[in-house]
């Protein structure tokens, strides 16, 4: 009679909590994926890490928003430097692409927050 999935998954849950607390969000998410695959019957462990999954996803998305916003502002400054001259197509494309990414990431944050609330 060996350990149950719940007992084996407990060590992974502790590792996931440590990764999250150390702000290693990508590794925490990867470990949660591995836990789900290795211990599909460890329902309590999976429920426990669901909260971490949502919070880590939120933190990563917020960090991505900050980087995207910085890049968008840098491109906007480049465009402003051109003044009334014709703005190079590459800059317009980059600005539009970053703006779309920014909008999508903000939408993702809203969805994650709603899930966390429920």
């Amino acid at each position: 009679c060996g350990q149950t999935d719940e007992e084996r998954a407990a060590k992974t849950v502790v590792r996931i909590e440590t990764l999250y607390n150390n702000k290693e969000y990508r590794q925490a998410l990867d470990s949660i994926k591995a836990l789900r695959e290795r211990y599909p019957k460890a329902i309590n462990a999976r429920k426990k890490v669901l909260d971490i999954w949502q919070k880590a996803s939120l933190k990563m998305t917020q960090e991505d928003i900050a980087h995207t916003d910085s890049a968008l502002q840098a491109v906007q400054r480049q465009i402003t430097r051109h003044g009334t001259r014709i703005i190079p197509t590459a800059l317009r494309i980059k600005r539009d692409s970053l703006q779309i990414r920014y909008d999508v990431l903000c939408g993702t944050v809203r969805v994650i927050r709603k899930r966390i609330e429920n």
Side-chain angles (χ1 to χ4, degrees):
C1 201
Q3 290 182 320
T4 66
D5 273 359
E6 289 291 346
E7 293 167 336
R8 287 190 296 268
K11 289 180 184 177
T12 305
V13 170
V14 170
R15 182 173 183 275
I16 290 167
E17 290 171 336
T18 301
L19 288 168
Y20 177 78
N21 291 332
N22 291 335
K23 299 181 180 181
E24 298 177 35
Y25 305 124
R26 172 54 49 209
Q27 293 89 334
L29 293 175
D30 290 344
S31 295
I32 292 170
K33 286 179 191 176
L35 179 133
R36 290 174 176 168
E37 291 171 7
R38 286 189 201 125
Y39 309 110
K41 295 180 182 178
I43 304 302
N44 291 328
R46 293 175 62 164
K47 284 181 183 177
K48 190 171 186 176
V49 298
L50 177 60
D51 183 54
I52 294 172
W53 176 272
Q54 292 171 333
K55 289 178 181 177
S57 296
L58 179 63
K59 295 285 186 184
M60 283 181 54
T61 305
Q62 288 171 329
E63 288 175 359
D64 201 358
I65 287 172
H67 294 294
T68 302
D69 185 50
S70 294
L72 183 58
Q73 289 178 28
V75 170
Q76 290 288 60
R77 284 191 296 274
Q78 286 178 319
I79 290 171
T80 302
R81 276 188 233 128
H82 281 83
T84 57
R85 292 180 287 166
I86 297 174
I87 300 169
T89 303
L91 278 180
R92 287 195 314 262
I93 291 171
K94 189 171 185 177
R95 177 197 59 202
D96 294 347
S97 175
L98 287 167
Q99 185 64 55
I100 290 168
R101 179 175 178 77
Y102 181 84
D103 294 342
V104 168
L105 290 170
C106 289
T108 301
V109 165
R110 283 191 295 276
V111 169
I112 294 170
R113 283 186 176 155
K114 259 189 186 172
R115 287 185 180 168
I116 290 172
E117 289 173 6
N118 294 334

